[in-house]
């Protein structure tokens, strides 16, 4: 059955048929309609008539409005070519991962309204933290080539951008209530002011609260979100857009599993429900909570753990301003400042601390935790991976039209302060946490000298800069467009490690990375319907700040203070890639088609490898690789009411160099494929809409892919089907456009696995023993079962 579904999805995704003469269409992202562009190739909202001389795909409001209102950006772009994404539970509330052309999310640049939202330290991405789906109007993907003006220093594989909807011209209140599987419930309200002050200003503000249980195990998610958007018309083409997004959430984690664990315990295996308890303290006797009888198996053996100590509390906000000032009919300036703030904790927070009172321990050792009057015990505590980030930045652009040249000059600057600490606080025998957010110093555990007990205490100040220019040259009455760009991007890392329990003493590191990044793209319009393009662009990614952790070796604690030691050299350098695309597009009213073949030359891939100087495995550059393939996408209007979209992607990646595991073993990685990079991906969407109602079906095929660098383990391919329907009813005197929608995820309850690998540099080396390299089982997330959402929306 699986083989038939696979072949069928691949075959249907190849529906690329001929049509009629073309004309360009645009989408007004400030206007939302259920009907969309009925009878046109773009009716599904999954494909637009692109004119960029590079591979680019996008989804618009017509598509997103028909999806579940709890969906995150990864889910919205899942059908686009080259995109391999998953969501941990189908609701969009618990995160997931995305790869584009094999590049991981931390190798892609992400922006909201032009502001970067990758983690400033590791470049990680957390899609559940962003704007409510009701307020998103466009998400685009540039596969392979990062835009010239993009504010990124961590993007070797392209960029993904999200744009919020503009405020409405007329005053309204929109209310949405959604409910669904696993006790999902979302309440959303948005107020649009309409045009004010002589029609020069308008704004909207929205609030939502979403709750849901996990589909397996105990726990769930609680998310509160506020969005604000405004537009000030200054006249003569000038305007200022100001937006603000606030998010606060507490999620329980899903447990990733090895294949052996799934075989032994079943796919529903998750974190345990038994509360760990403290062994009663006895003065003068050493107690150990991990070996206490009632705790058997909680934190040892298979580590049942406890679900309520596997949390991700996080709070963040982003303020953006985009000021466009028209200096003359041919010249303008754009000023776009932003500020990102993030704070929270996460990970497996059930840890142990051992008390002590000796000069060879940091701060003299950990004070008495369990209150029995001695410092002999090992006690269960709550420890969170705590992060606080302050990230201001600004992009400046000057635009000038001179004859057939459209020039752009600009500069981007940001300075991010990224503090990462690991405090400990107490838990009681009922599962209560003294300080869940790890934000109350009075509740943190202390050493004998009064210092805070921490497993880490670091500050990374990252200063990113980019000077860029671009010339878009129109020739032959715009049949030929040549786009030449260049940017010089750099990042300065100023890293400080303060004394902590696991990282020794104080040290500082300063590293700088920079690269000149040229690009050239050519588009030629063959006729009104057909065009071809070719593009070449260089990208780069600086190493993440985790490369600087644990860099102190030697030395010891004397009287509670670390003395001696040396800071090892950090051998990791930047990654770079050259991305080449050759494409063909065909656009008519009935049919929109886009295709590209690509080749990627990837240098200095960052991964963990053996360092002979320290006899440990650390992040370093392990070699080069290449990827080549093709991407196709097509939208076709079968009739005025029936439209179809298909995408098909093929990629073949090859690593060129073996990986040094230790002093005696080189792992045979050369010639192997990148893990979690299926050779084949395909997507399909079939939509029917008429007279205020619609229905659609979707299918996404994800091919077989390897789970280790040595390619000695793999996950089979799978096809997931989704479906949806909706109807808008006649308005009344007080109720406008009442709408009901139904969305079903994983319609046929397909069982499948996704690889748990949050970073491309942290793939499992090998699953079987090779030389001195013992095999290690990759971890997987079990795919979410069939779930549904019912959404009720109305304007007042």
């Amino acid at each position: 059955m699986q083989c038939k579904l696979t072949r069928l999805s691949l075959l249907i995704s190849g529906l690329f048929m001929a049509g009629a003469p073309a004309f360009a269409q645009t989408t007004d992202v400030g206007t939302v309609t259920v009907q969309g562009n009925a009878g046109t190739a773009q009716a599904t909202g999954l494909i637009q008539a692109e004119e960029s001389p590079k591979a680019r795909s996008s989804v618009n409001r017509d598509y997103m409005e028909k999806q579940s209102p709890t969906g995150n950006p990864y889910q919205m772009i899942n059908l686009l070519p080259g995109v391999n994404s998953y969501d941990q539970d189908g609701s969009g509330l618990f995160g997931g991962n995305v790869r584009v052309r094999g590049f991981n999310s931390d190798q892609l640049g992400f922006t909201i309204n032009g502001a970067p939202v990758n983690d400033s330290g590791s470049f990680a991405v957390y899609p559940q933290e962003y704007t409510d789906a009701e307020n998103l109007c466009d998400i685009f993907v540039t596969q392979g080539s990062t835009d010239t003006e993009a504010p990124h220093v961590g993007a070797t594989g392209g960029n993904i951008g999200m744009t919020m909807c503009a405020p409405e011209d007329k005053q309204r209140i929109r209310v949405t209530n959604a409910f669904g599987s696993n006790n999902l419930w979302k309440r959303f309200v948005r107020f649009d002011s309409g045009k004010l002050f002589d029609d020069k200003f308008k704004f909207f503000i929205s609030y939502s609260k979403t709750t849901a249980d996990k589909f397996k195990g105990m726990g769930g998610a609680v998310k509160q979100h506020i969005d604000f958007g405004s537009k000030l018309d200054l006249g003569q083409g000038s305007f200022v857009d100001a937006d603000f997004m606030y998010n606060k959430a507490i999620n329980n984690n899903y447990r990733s599993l090895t294949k052996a664990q799934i075989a032994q315990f079943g796919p529903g295996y998750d974190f345990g429900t038994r509360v760990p308890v403290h062994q009663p303290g006895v003065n003068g006797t050493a107690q150990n909570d991990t070996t206490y009888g009632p705790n058997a198996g909680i934190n040892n053996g298979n580590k049942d753990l406890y679900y309520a100590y596997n949390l991700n509390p996080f709070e963040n906000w982003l303020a953006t301003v985009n000021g466009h000032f028209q200096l003359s009919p041919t010249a303008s300036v754009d000023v776009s400042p932003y500020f990102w703030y993030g704070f929270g904790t996460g990970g497996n927070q059930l840890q142990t601390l051992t008390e002590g009172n000796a000069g060879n321990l940091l701060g003299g050792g950990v004070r008495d935790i369990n209150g029995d009057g001695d410092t002999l015990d090992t006690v269960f505590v709550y420890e969170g991976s705590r992060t606080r980030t302050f990230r201001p930045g600004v992009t400046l652009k000057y635009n000038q039209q001179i004859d057939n040249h459209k020039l752009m000059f600009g500069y981007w600057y940001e300075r991010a302060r990224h503090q990462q600490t690991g405090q400990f606080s107490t838990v009681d025998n009922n599962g209560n946490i003294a300080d869940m957010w790890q934000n109350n110093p009075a509740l943190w555990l202390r050493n004998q000298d009064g210092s805070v007990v921490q497993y880490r205490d670091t500050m990374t100040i990252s200063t990113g800069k980019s000077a860029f220019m671009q010339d878009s040259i129109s020739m032959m009455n715009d049949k030929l467009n040549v786009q030449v760009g260049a940017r010089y991007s750099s990042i300065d890392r100023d890293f400080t490690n303060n004394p902590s329990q696991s990282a020794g003493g104080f040290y500082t590191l300063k590293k700088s990375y920079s690269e000149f990044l040229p690009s050239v793209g050519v588009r030629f319009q063959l006729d009104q319907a057909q065009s071809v393009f070719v593009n070449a662009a260089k990208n780069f990614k600086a190493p993440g700040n985790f490369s600087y952790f644990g860099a102190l070796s030697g030395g010891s604690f004397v009287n509670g203070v670390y003395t001696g030691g040396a800071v090892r050299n950090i051998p990791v350098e930047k990654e770079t890639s050259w991305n080449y695309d050759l494409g063909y597009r065909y656009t008519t009213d009935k049919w929109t088609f886009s295709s590209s073949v690509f080749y990627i030359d990837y240098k200095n891939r960052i991964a963990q490898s053996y360092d002979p100087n320290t006899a440990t495995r650390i992040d370093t550059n392990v070699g080069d690789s290449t990827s080549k393939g093709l991407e196709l996408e097509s939208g076709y209007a079968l009739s005025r009411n029936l439209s179809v979209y298909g995408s098909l992607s093929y990629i073949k990646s090859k690593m060129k160099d073996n990986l040094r595991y230790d002093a005696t073993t080189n792992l045979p990685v050369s010639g192997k494929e990148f893990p979690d990079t299926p050779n084949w991906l395909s997507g399909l969407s079939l939509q029917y809409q008429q007279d205020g109602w619609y229905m659609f079906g979707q299918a996404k095929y994800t091919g077989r892919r390897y789970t280790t660098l040595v390619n000695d383990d793999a996950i089979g391919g799978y096809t997931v089907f989704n479906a949806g329907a909706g109807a808008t009813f006649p308005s009344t005197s007080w109720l406008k456009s009442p709408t009901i929608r139904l969305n079903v995820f994983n319609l046929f309850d397909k069982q499948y696995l996704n690889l748990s690998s949050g970073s491309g540099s942290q793939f499992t080396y090998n699953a079987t023993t090779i030389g001195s390299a013992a095999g290690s089982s990759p971890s997987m997330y079990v795919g979410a079962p069939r779930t549904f959402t019912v959404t009720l929306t109305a304007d007042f």
Side-chain angles (χ1 to χ4, degrees):
M1 182 66 178
Q2 180 177 337
C3 179
K4 292 181 180 178
L5 290 177
T6 296
R7 301 303 181 204
L8 180 61
S9 64
L10 287 170
L11 178 62
I12 295 176
S13 296
L15 292 176
F16 305 111
M17 297 163 283
F23 59 90
Q25 291 188 331
T26 60
T27 300
D28 178 7
V29 297
T31 301
V32 174
T33 64
V34 174
Q35 285 294 324
N37 300 310
T40 69
Q42 292 88 29
T44 61
L46 282 161
I47 189 169
Q48 282 75 50
E50 302 285 356
E51 295 185 354
S52 173
K54 65 179 69 173
R56 190 180 192 273
S57 302
S58 60
V59 298
N60 65 20
R61 187 66 203 146
D62 288 334
Y63 176 77
M64 288 185 281
E65 190 173 41
K66 297 180 178 71
Q67 309 309 304
S68 170
T70 65
N72 65 49
Y74 288 177
Q75 294 170 297
M76 300 297 178
I77 63 174
N78 186 45
L79 295 181
L80 298 183
V83 176
N84 174 26
S85 71
Y86 72 86
D87 176 71
Q88 288 189 14
D89 79 328
S91 73
L93 296 173
F94 293 87
N97 198 31
V98 67
R99 302 186 196 279
V100 177
R101 291 187 177 177
F103 288 97
N104 190 64
S105 56
D106 63 350
Q107 297 170 301
L108 304 168
F110 283 75
T111 59
I112 296 179
N113 297 335
V117 292
N118 296 73
D119 185 276
S120 65
S122 66
F123 304 115
V125 183
Y126 306 99
Q128 69 273 27
E129 296 174 1
Y130 303 146
T131 177
D132 269 324
E134 292 90 342
N135 298 326
L136 270 179
C137 269
D138 178 75
I139 307 176
F140 68 84
V141 180
T142 57
Q143 297 99 335
S145 298
T146 303
D147 293 329
T148 300
E149 70 271 31
H152 304 304
V153 287
T156 39
N159 52 259
I160 296 175
M162 293 157 273
T163 305
M164 287 179 63
C165 297
E168 295 290 317
D169 289 342
K170 295 183 178 181
Q171 186 179 106
R172 75 170 189 190
I173 297 175
R174 170 160 290 185
V175 176
T176 296
N177 274 283
F179 62 91
S181 303
N182 306 310
N183 292 319
L184 182 143
W185 187 21
K186 178 172 184 177
R187 292 128 290 178
F188 170 88
V189 59
R190 167 170 161 160
F191 171 74
D192 282 88
S193 68
K195 291 185 176 180
L196 305 171
F197 309 120
D198 295 327
D199 295 341
K200 295 185 178 302
F201 179 71
K202 57 182 179 178
F203 74 90
F204 80 83
I205 186 168
S206 69
Y207 168 80
S208 70
K209 183 175 183 179
T210 311
T211 58
D213 296 336
K214 293 164 56 179
F215 74 82
K216 67 170 186 173
M218 293 292 292
V222 179
K223 173 181 175 178
Q224 296 185 79
H225 193 92
I226 296 172
D227 283 335
F228 171 84
S230 67
K231 189 176 189 69
L232 175 63
D233 184 356
L234 300 176
Q236 297 182 334
S238 298
F239 59 86
V240 176
D241 294 338
D243 299 280
F244 179 82
M245 289 141 277
Y246 171 81
N247 193 81
K248 184 176 183 179
I250 301 175
N251 288 6
N252 289 100
N253 299 326
Y254 278 95
R255 183 169 192 163
S256 60
L257 305 172
T258 64
K259 290 181 179 178
Q261 287 176 314
I262 294 172
Q264 181 178 358
F265 302 110
Y269 185 53
D270 202 69
F271 297 110
T273 58
R274 187 157 47 98
V275 179
V277 296
H278 299 300
Q279 184 174 5
V282 178
N283 183 266
T285 302
Q287 281 84 46
N288 190 329
D289 285 346
T290 61
T291 59
Y292 183 41
N295 296 327
I298 287 181
N299 206 35
N300 52 36
N302 282 320
K303 293 190 175 182
D304 191 37
L305 304 175
Y306 178 50
Y307 81 93
Y309 297 161
N310 276 273
L311 297 167
N312 180 211
F314 206 83
E315 180 180 34
N316 56 279
W317 55 265
L318 171 66
T320 63
V321 176
N322 293 308
H324 177 80
F325 305 98
Q326 198 70 38
L327 306 180
S328 73
T330 59
S332 64
V333 171
D334 293 287
V335 181
S336 303
Y338 61 87
F339 194 103
W340 165 274
Y341 170 80
F343 170 74
T345 179
N348 170 32
Q349 290 109 337
L350 178 60
Q351 302 293 336
T352 59
L353 268 183
T354 300
E355 304 165 344
N357 192 351
N360 64 345
L361 300 173
L362 176 65
V366 179
R367 291 177 180 174
D368 180 16
I369 302 172
N370 60 0
D372 67 352
D374 63 32
T375 53
L376 304 173
D377 309 316
T378 299
V379 183
F380 277 145
V381 292
Y382 177 90
E383 173 269 305
S385 174
R386 181 178 182 267
T387 301
R388 190 189 300 273
T389 303
F390 296 90
R391 187 179 185 182
V394 63
T395 299
L396 306 173
K397 288 193 296 184
Y398 175 73
N399 310 285
Q400 179 70 60
Q401 183 82 40
I402 303 177
D403 295 328
N404 62 331
H405 294 263
K406 187 177 180 180
L407 300 167
M408 175 182 67
F409 302 90
Y411 186 74
W412 165 69
Y413 176 89
E414 77 164 24
R415 186 175 187 270
R417 293 175 53 86
H418 192 65
Q419 183 187 43
Q420 295 171 281
T421 56
Q423 294 87 344
F424 297 82
S425 55
T426 60
V427 294
D428 66 20
N429 287 348
N430 296 313
N432 298 309
I433 305 166
D435 186 16
M436 175 191 296
W437 287 82
Q438 297 289 50
N439 201 31
N440 185 351
L443 298 176
W444 297 342
L445 296 177
R446 303 276 172 169
N447 291 308
Q448 298 293 342
D449 65 357
S451 60
V452 177
V453 180
Q454 300 186 87
Y455 85 93
R456 68 178 186 185
D457 183 5
T458 69
M459 172 67 78
T460 306
I461 299 176
S462 300
T463 305
K465 293 169 283 187
S466 183
F468 55 87
M469 64 170 292
Q470 181 174 283
D471 185 7
S472 183
I473 310 166
S474 175
M475 293 177 281
M476 301 172 62
N477 293 320
D478 203 34
K479 290 188 65 175
L480 175 64
N481 180 269
V482 179
Q483 191 176 92
V484 180
R487 60 188 172 114
Y488 183 81
S489 297
S490 66
I491 182 172
D492 301 321
R493 300 276 205 193
D494 188 345
F495 178 83
T496 300
N497 184 88
N498 294 304
S500 61
Q501 309 300 120
S502 63
F506 174 86
Y507 65 89
T508 61
L509 284 168
K510 293 187 177 182
K511 298 284 286 186
S512 295
Y513 309 91
S514 61
E515 190 71 17
F516 177 70
L517 304 170
S519 64
V520 59
V522 178
R523 174 186 58 79
F524 184 75
Q525 199 74 33
L526 300 173
D527 56 30
Q528 192 175 13
Q530 302 178 85
S531 64
V532 294
F533 67 89
V534 62
N535 178 71
K538 188 177 185 181
N539 305 319
F540 101 109
K541 174 182 184 287
N545 68 323
F546 282 111
S547 302
Y548 314 135
F549 282 52
L552 193 63
S553 60
S556 61
F557 288 103
V558 178
N559 295 324
V561 179
Y562 192 89
T563 60
V567 180
R568 65 171 170 83
N569 178 48
I570 306 298
V572 61
E573 293 297 330
K574 58 183 178 287
E575 298 177 344
T576 62
S577 68
W578 270 101
N579 291 267
Y580 304 93
D581 287 282
L582 175 63
Y584 169 81
R585 294 182 178 124
Y586 186 92
T587 303
T588 70
D589 185 25
K590 293 292 185 182
W591 188 38
T592 297
F593 169 75
S594 179
S595 64
S596 64
V597 293
F598 62 86
Y599 178 81
I600 302 169
D601 189 13
Y602 186 21
K603 303 290 186 183
N604 286 333
R605 179 176 61 89
I606 297 174
Q608 290 196 348
S609 184
Y610 178 75
D611 181 358
N613 298 313
T614 62
T616 59
R617 284 184 289 277
I618 59 175
D619 271 5
T620 189
N621 303 101
V622 297
D624 303 337
S625 68
T626 60
S627 296
K628 54 187 176 183
L630 80 159
E631 292 163 350
L632 309 172
E633 66 173 332
S634 177
Y636 188 77
L638 299 170
S639 70
R640 175 170 177 77
N641 306 109
L642 184 63
S643 55
V644 62
Y645 168 86
S647 68
L648 180 66
S649 308
Y650 173 79
I651 186 172
K652 191 73 172 181
S653 61
K654 179 185 286 189
M655 292 178 281
K656 293 185 176 180
D657 301 288
N658 287 329
L659 179 64
R660 190 169 186 181
Y661 180 81
D662 59 21
T664 60
T665 298
N666 280 335
L667 293 176
V669 170
S670 178
K672 302 297 173 43
E673 296 186 37
F674 269 113
D676 206 23
T677 305
N679 294 139
W680 291 99
L681 293 165
S682 65
L684 171 71
S685 178
L686 185 65
Q687 175 181 285
Y688 185 89
Q689 55 186 15
Q690 180 179 358
D691 298 331
W693 66 273
Y694 68 87
M695 59 188 303
F696 67 81
Q698 298 173 352
K700 175 64 183 283
Y701 170 69
T702 303
R704 181 179 181 270
R705 63 267 193 226
Y706 294 106
T707 63
T708 67
L709 289 168
V710 174
N711 290 180
D712 58 351
D713 184 74
I715 306 175
Y718 63 89
T719 303
V720 172
F721 291 85
N722 304 326
T728 299
F729 300 95
S731 300
T732 67
S733 58
W734 61 277
L735 193 66
K736 310 298 183 185
S737 303
T739 301
I740 183 170
R741 301 201 309 271
L742 170 67
N743 293 90
V744 183
F745 171 82
N746 195 3
L747 181 64
F748 299 114
D749 208 19
K750 179 69 176 178
Q751 294 186 359
Y752 59 97
L753 300 175
N754 287 301
L755 183 64
S756 172
S757 181
S759 170
S761 67
Q762 297 174 347
F763 286 124
T764 302
Y765 298 143
N766 50 294
T768 57
T769 299
I770 300 174
S772 59
S776 178
S777 299
S779 294
M780 322 284 176
Y781 284 112
V782 175
R786 179 172 50 243
T787 57
F788 75 90
T789 306
V790 176
T791 306
L792 305 173
T793 299
D795 294 345
F796 298 89

